[in-house]
Amino acid sequence: MLLFVISFAALVCTIAARPPLGYLENQFTAESGEVRSAAIKRLLEVFGMDDPPAMHGHKQPPQYMLDLYNTVADVDGVTKDPYLLEGNTVRSFFDKLRSEQVEFRFNLSTVARTEKILTAELHLFKLRPQATLTFNRHHFCQVSVYQLLHTSKNNNTQEKKLLSSRLIPVHTTGWEVFTITQAVRSWMSDERSNLGLHVVVRTLGGSQMDLKLIRFASGRNHHQSKQPMLVLFTDDGSRSTTLENTDPNDTEVSSDLPSAPMSGPPPRIARSLDYSEEDGASSPCQRQPLYVDFEEIGWSGWIVSPRGYNAYHCKGSCPFPLGQNMRPTNHATVQSIINALKLIKGIDTPCCVPDKLFSINLLYFDDAENVVLKQYNDMVAGSCGCH
């Protein structure tokens, strides 16, 4: 009887010492939140960011950037050809001066000084001439873009430097593009020199042309889809030299692998399917779906395209003997033989890993509401092999 009393007392003490169930649940929730926060922070680092950009609601990206994205990326964001895009980053900037005059200024503070400036373009939308001037005798005009420099101390006039000049038809409408790379490079080396751009329109005879005859859309009076825009192509030096496909036309994959990434997220029942360790061990090395859904992560507010992508992952065994369908390296073949013959203790079988990686493209808004197209290397497992 005494033994029972002592045991019961010990049990009561043990139960009393345990934290309440609610405390454990809260602790688990807190730990899960910390893990999620750390994981998302690490994922942001993969995409070259410290924090996610601010949400910009239903703001529309420029059509040029949408078209460029569709040119270089497939529906999943995977790069069609690594040589299509000059550099790995393209940004679009809207005119901040918003003047009714043909003067423009762009804020380039979001561009890192370490990035290499490849090409800079001024995009201007030419409006139709007024109806009363349709039959004007001028059919072409000379459009010149100047970089504004500091005011001259001698005559108190603002100096300017010619960047680009060409003939354009007077009676057409649409986008006109001028190269202004020299100006942007000088602005990046000294941001105080960024005094803007000035556009001058002249007749073929050299006289100033009536701005009622040839007009460009301005940031103040016209729809955003026609506003003046600077498009900047840069490279941050992070292009892959490892497993990125060396031949852009080489799309060969193992016969048992899907030949192209899946379009859109797979059904939830498939996404929640979990392969047991036994199944993974018995199956040969192969590529399995791994869909990254930006909406589930909470990034859909600032990413324009894609809504997610299939990163894929490699899973399966590399049993002896390794066939060519396993895409083994010579090192993996030797390791497999040593393991099979048990010549040395502790030598495992080769591992199933990606042997070809592809880049993806993101089209997104940055903190300054500029639209950015950026290419990220080694984001999709193109095929798997035993290494």
Side-chain angles (χ1 to χ4, degrees), residues 47-49 53 56 60-62 64-66 68-69 72 85 88-94 110-111 115 229-234 236 302-306 361-376:
F47 287 101
M49 304 176 188
H56 296 290
Q60 289 295 317
Y64 175 83
M65 298 298 289
L66 289 171
L68 184 61
Y69 172 84
V72 302
L85 192 65
N88 61 3
T89 309
V90 186
R91 293 180 180 86
S92 61
F93 303 86
F94 284 123
T110 57
V111 183
E115 292 186 47
M229 181 173 63
L230 187 154
V231 178
L232 181 61
F233 295 79
T234 66
D236 62 8
W302 55 274
I303 293 181
V304 179
S305 287
N361 301 265
L362 280 193
L363 186 68
Y364 64 91
F365 287 98
D366 66 12
D367 280 323
E369 298 189 6
N370 304 311
V371 176
V372 182
L373 170 61
K374 192 167 182 66
Q375 205 168 81
Y376 296 93

Side-chain angles (χ1 to χ4, degrees), residues 153-379:
K153 295 181 180 180
N154 297 329
N155 52 17
N156 201 32
T157 59
Q158 188 165 35
E159 298 180 352
K160 54 188 179 181
K161 175 183 178 182
L162 179 63
L163 299 172
S164 179
S165 183
R166 61 188 180 84
L167 297 177
I168 64 172
V170 170
H171 302 292
T172 60
T173 182
W175 288 99
E176 300 292 343
V177 180
F178 303 88
T179 301
I180 56 169
T181 310
Q182 289 182 352
V184 173
R185 285 176 177 166
S186 68
W187 296 341
M188 291 302 298
S189 60
D190 180 10
E191 61 182 24
R192 294 173 299 177
S193 67
N194 184 359
L195 303 179
L197 303 169
H198 181 63
V199 176
V200 177
V201 183
R202 294 188 177 90
T203 65
L204 298 186
S207 59
Q208 197 85 9
M209 202 162 193
D210 188 349
L211 292 180
K212 294 182 180 179
L213 180 60
I214 179 165
R215 300 177 302 143
F216 292 105
S218 67
R220 173 177 295 184
N221 299 325
H222 299 92
H223 189 267
Q224 181 179 321
S225 62
K226 297 179 180 179
Q227 287 185 13
M229 181 173 63
L230 187 154
V231 178
L232 181 61
F233 295 79
T234 66
D235 196 303
D236 62 8
S238 65
R239 281 187 179 266
S240 174
T241 57
T242 54
L243 299 180
E244 182 78 29
N245 52 330
T246 54
D247 182 358
N249 298 314
D250 178 18
T251 56
E252 177 189 357
V253 293
S254 301
S255 59
D256 58 337
L257 304 183
S259 59
M262 294 169 57
S263 177
R268 289 195 177 271
I269 187 171
R271 295 166 68 191
S272 61
L273 185 62
D274 187 21
Y275 295 91
S276 68
E277 290 298 324
E278 293 180 357
D279 292 337
S282 61
S283 300
C285 177
Q286 57 186 312
R287 190 172 68 163
Q288 303 280 1
L290 174 59
Y291 190 78
V292 180
D293 191 328
F294 292 136
E295 184 174 359
E296 287 189 356
I297 297 173
W299 291 1
S300 59
W302 55 274
I303 293 181
V304 179
S305 287
R307 287 187 288 181
Y309 77 100
N310 207 329
Y312 293 100
H313 73 287
C314 298
K315 190 171 186 177
S317 60
C318 296
F320 177 83
L322 294 179
Q324 287 304 309
N325 64 317
M326 299 290 184
R327 304 168 70 92
T329 60
N330 289 337
H331 180 274
T333 301
V334 172
Q335 181 175 332
S336 177
I337 293 171
I338 298 298
N339 171 268
L341 296 178
K342 294 181 172 45
L343 297 178
I344 303 175
K345 290 183 179 181
I347 301 300
D348 296 326
T349 58
C351 297
C352 179
V353 296
D355 62 359
K356 183 176 289 187
L357 294 167
F358 298 116
S359 59
I360 66 165
N361 301 265
L362 280 193
L363 186 68
Y364 64 91
F365 287 98
D366 66 12
D367 280 323
E369 298 189 6
N370 304 311
V371 176
V372 182
L373 170 61
K374 192 167 182 66
Q375 205 168 81
Y376 296 93
N377 299 313
D378 305 339
M379 299 295 287

